Amino acid sequence: MHDWKSLLVKPEFPRSNHYDPNWVVENQMGPNVLWLVEWLSERLALQPDMRVLDLGCGRAMSSIFLAREFGVRVWAADLWIGPDQNWRRVMEAGVSSRVFPMRLEAHAIPFPHDFFDAVVSLDAYTYFGTDDLYLGYLSGFVRPAGLLGIVVPGLLRDFESGIPSHLAEPQSNGKPFWEEECRCFHTPDWWRAHWSHSSRIADLHVEALKDGWRHWRDFEKAVELSGKGIFPSCAEALERDAGLYIGFVGMTAVRSETSGDDLYDPALGLRVGVDR
Ligand SMILES: C[S@@+](CC[C@H](N)C(=O)[O-])C[C@H]1O[C@@H](n2cnc3c(N)ncnc32)[C@H](O)[C@@H]1O
């Protein structure tokens, strides 16, 4: 059998290379979140003890990584994966004094405004963050001059005329890459425009991850060869695409001094007199 573990060793991700490959594939929920968070962490000035929200953390691998590598305190927040499961993983990883799992719906963040020094979100922001109002809401939970960092699967360029056949047609395992939900994939230009309208952030940087498709393909292959995959592999479609359209988009920004209304706060109804 091919040594799938060697596919997970990459010079670009020296910190991730130290994590147990079995742990990484057993807890994966998509592309390798350790690579995504390592890429992001090189662009965020994380300091020990900072309060970090890991929004849509899944099985909390990125939260554990951030706590271990940078000594930050992480609220590992997710909708689908319950806190009991993540707490077990956190205890096993030896970071129970720094990682705090919780169930959270991204539109009902139960923290004071300005609470976090940083918010990160890896392969999750597309599920809620394409809403025009969402960045304004989320940034309210980050203190002024605090950090925001997002990595999502995305497009490297727009389709010229419809979904390309190599993405729409089934792979040899029967699964097409492109499903209806992929319409939340957007280009770096789209994300830049989406975020730059907001006065609540500054110092915005948006870029495609270098060799993102290669890393994604290698991870898909590793998971498939390990026999521990949950979903059919999309390595074949990524190989065919070869970075023409599909990759990852990373964004970082700093919270500005500007604040505004919390539009998802149920109490807003009282302020505008709905219940009177
Ligand atoms: C593809 S998984 C990625 C999980 C993890 N970040 C990773 O990369 O392994 C997307 C995650 O987004 C979370 N998510 C989706 N919608 C959400 C919402 N409205 N509020 C909070 N989390 C959400 C899901 O619970 C899921 O764990």
Side-chain angles (χ1 to χ4, degrees):
M1 188 168 105
H2 187 282
D3 175 20
W4 60 270
K5 293 179 184 170
S6 64
L7 288 166
L8 299 186
V9 180
K10 295 211 172 233
E12 296 93 330
F13 303 111
R15 292 177 187 266
S16 303
N17 290 343
H18 296 298
Y19 287 74
D20 174 7
N22 282 304
W23 183 78
V24 174
V25 297
E26 280 160 15
N27 292 310
Q28 58 89 23
M29 292 180 69
N32 187 352
V33 70
L34 293 190
W35 294 341
L36 303 187
V37 72
E38 184 163 351
W39 182 92
L40 186 64
S41 66
E42 284 164 5
R43 286 153 182 84
L44 295 177
L46 296 171
Q47 303 293 332
D49 293 332
M50 272 185 163
R51 283 193 285 269
V52 178
L53 176 64
D54 186 354
L55 183 57
C57 69
R59 297 202 166 90
M61 286 198 288
S62 49
S63 314
I64 290 167
F65 177 97
L66 290 171
R68 268 201 188 154
E69 302 293 328
F70 298 96
V72 294
R73 288 173 287 170
V74 188
W75 279 260
D78 198 71
L79 185 62
W80 306 339
I81 306 296
D84 291 334
Q85 275 193 41
N86 277 341
W87 185 235
R88 266 199 311 279
R89 248 181 302 280
V90 166
M91 303 253 280
E92 283 163 13
V95 286
S96 57
S97 62
R98 301 204 156 266
V99 180
F100 316 116
M102 60 188 294
R103 176 101 56 191
L104 176 148
E105 204 293 316
H107 299 85
I109 297 179
F111 286 95
H113 291 115
D114 300 348
F115 183 78
F116 291 105
D117 298 298
V119 171
V120 300
S121 185
L122 292 315
D123 186 20
Y125 196 75
T126 41
Y127 291 90
F128 38 80
T130 56
D131 171 353
D132 288 343
L133 302 175
Y134 192 73
L135 177 62
Y137 171 72
L138 178 62
S139 57
F141 297 94
V142 182
R143 66 166 168 81
L147 312 168
L148 292 98
I150 310 290
V151 180
V152 284
L155 293 179
L156 303 177
R157 67 175 75 183
D158 283 316
F159 298 148
E160 290 80 14
S161 52
I163 303 157
S165 56
H166 68 278
L167 297 176
E169 284 165 9
Q171 306 170 108
S172 51
N173 62 12
K175 183 189 182 294
F177 178 90
W178 193 267
E179 291 167 332
E180 203 173 300
E181 290 74 18
C182 295
R183 59 174 306 197
C184 65
F185 286 18
H186 295 290
T187 61
D189 282 349
W190 187 96
W191 282 108
R192 196 173 293 110
H194 189 57
W195 274 30
S196 55
H197 72 88
S198 174
S199 61
R200 297 186 199 168
I201 57 149
D203 205 9
L204 173 63
H205 293 275
V206 182
E207 62 184 293
L209 274 60
K210 187 169 180 297
D211 288 330
W213 75 272
R214 253 184 245 283
H215 299 318
W216 192 350
R217 175 205 60 189
D218 291 347
F219 189 64
E220 288 288 316
K221 278 188 181 168
V223 173
E224 190 177 14
L225 289 165
S226 74
K228 298 179 188 205
I230 326 166
F231 306 113
S233 166
C234 59
E236 190 181 308
L238 289 167
E239 178 87 42
R240 274 193 252 145
D241 186 64
L244 186 58
Y245 295 108
I246 304 298
F248 295 101
V249 181
M251 289 170 272
T252 58
V254 170
R255 160 79 202 281
S256 66
E257 292 290 339
T258 317
S259 59
D261 276 335
D262 173 348
L263 292 180
Y264 303 127
D265 180 357
L268 193 61
L270 296 175
R271 277 182 41 214
V272 298
V274 170
D275 285 351
R276 262 187 286 163

